[in-house]
Amino acid sequence: MEAAPCISHIASLLCEPKRTAMLWALMDGSAKSSEELATLAGLSPASAIAHLSRLTGGGLLRVDTRRGKRLFRVAAADVSAAIDALASTTMASAARSTPDVLPPALLAPASLRHARLCHGHLGGELAAGIYLRMLEAGWIDRHEQRTDVTLAGMRHLAQLGIFTQALAAPLACDCFDWSQQQPHLGGALGAGLLQLFLQSGWISAVNASHALLVTDIGRLEINRLAAL
């Protein structure tokens, strides 16, 4: 057992609901004061500072100073990735334990709900919209637990510079979106679309967050994808 990774310290930091509430409020890449985070988490200023000190000491948050004011933000991208993974697992485990009951959507900052990184592909409202349009346009097809790219989809994607024959397996799969309560596109095709959007300058990363900034042109072009 000595060779097991020592994750209990980080787990102990995340097991307190008030601390996770403050981390969750910073998942959009923003920086907030202890007073703002205290209000969001329903804490007294003194209690908020104590919790923030533990999160900062544990390497989950870092402190920026602006005009003499201390602002807290997520320390690095791996912290955002871990919290996002926990959100996905929370929704997935709820769905497994009560398969006939749709779990309530997790509330999150608007930018995360709109567009974010999700396991190397695009997640959020923007991604869920692409998935639905690709289904309706006949670019992809669902067979129970399997998602396939159709011949029509391959042709249209090739026009965008995405050649599905060159992509690794799995080519396409459903990824349940914790903020939209519906699937978006995962797999190599989901990753390929994300790279296309990044290289085209339609979206960009926000600090150490998983939130993605979508330009006006990017929103227009992405919403045209697979539009009937």
Side-chain angles (χ1 to χ4, degrees):
M1 293 299 294
E2 292 181 0
C6 184
I7 61 174
S8 58
H9 174 60
I10 298 300
S12 70
L13 291 174
L14 296 176
C15 73
E16 162 53 50
K18 298 298 185 181
R19 287 198 288 271
T20 54
M22 291 190 284
L23 282 166
W24 192 246
L26 297 171
M27 280 285 286
D28 59 353
S30 61
K32 291 181 170 62
S33 67
S34 60
E35 293 83 3
E36 290 177 283
L37 292 168
T39 300
L40 288 167
L43 289 167
S44 68
S47 294
I49 289 173
H51 284 301
L52 290 167
S53 296
R54 291 198 62 183
L55 292 171
T56 305
L60 298 182
L61 294 181
R62 64 183 174 88
V63 182
D64 292 343
T65 303
R66 296 180 190 170
R67 298 175 182 175
K69 191 169 187 177
R70 286 161 53 87
L71 299 175
F72 296 84
R73 65 167 68 248
V74 172
D78 60 271
V79 179
S80 295
I83 298 170
D84 188 85
L86 286 171
S88 297
T89 301
T90 297
M91 296 297 286
S93 61
R96 287 191 294 269
S97 61
T98 54
D100 298 327
V101 179
L102 189 66
L106 297 178
L107 297 178
S111 58
L112 278 180
R113 295 197 304 271
H114 182 58
R116 65 178 179 277
L117 291 172
C118 178
H119 306 297
H121 55 261
L122 182 67
E125 179 186 13
L126 202 62
I130 293 171
Y131 182 91
L132 286 176
R133 291 197 303 275
M134 291 179 76
L135 270 177
E136 292 170 355
W139 291 25
I140 58 175
D141 197 9
R142 294 177 70 183
H143 300 280
E144 296 181 351
Q145 301 300 317
R146 195 178 71 195
T147 304
D148 294 325
V149 182
T150 65
L151 290 175
M154 291 180 183
R155 288 196 299 270
H156 285 289
L157 289 164
Q159 293 172 5
L160 297 172
I162 298 176
F163 300 96
T164 54
Q165 299 91 334
L167 298 178
L171 176 59
C173 63
D174 285 8
C175 181
F176 188 77
D177 196 297
W178 54 254
S179 65
Q180 301 300 309
Q181 294 185 299
Q182 63 188 69
H184 59 244
L185 190 64
L189 178 54
L193 286 171
L194 174 63
Q195 289 305 311
L196 171 66
F197 301 159
L198 288 168
Q199 291 167 6
S200 299
W202 297 344
I203 60 177
S204 59
V206 181
N207 300 320
S209 167
H210 272 208
L212 294 169
L213 179 65
V214 185
T215 65
D216 291 338
I217 293 175
R219 187 174 292 106
L220 179 65
E221 293 296 334
I222 293 171
N223 286 333
R224 283 178 177 170
L225 188 68
L228 295 174

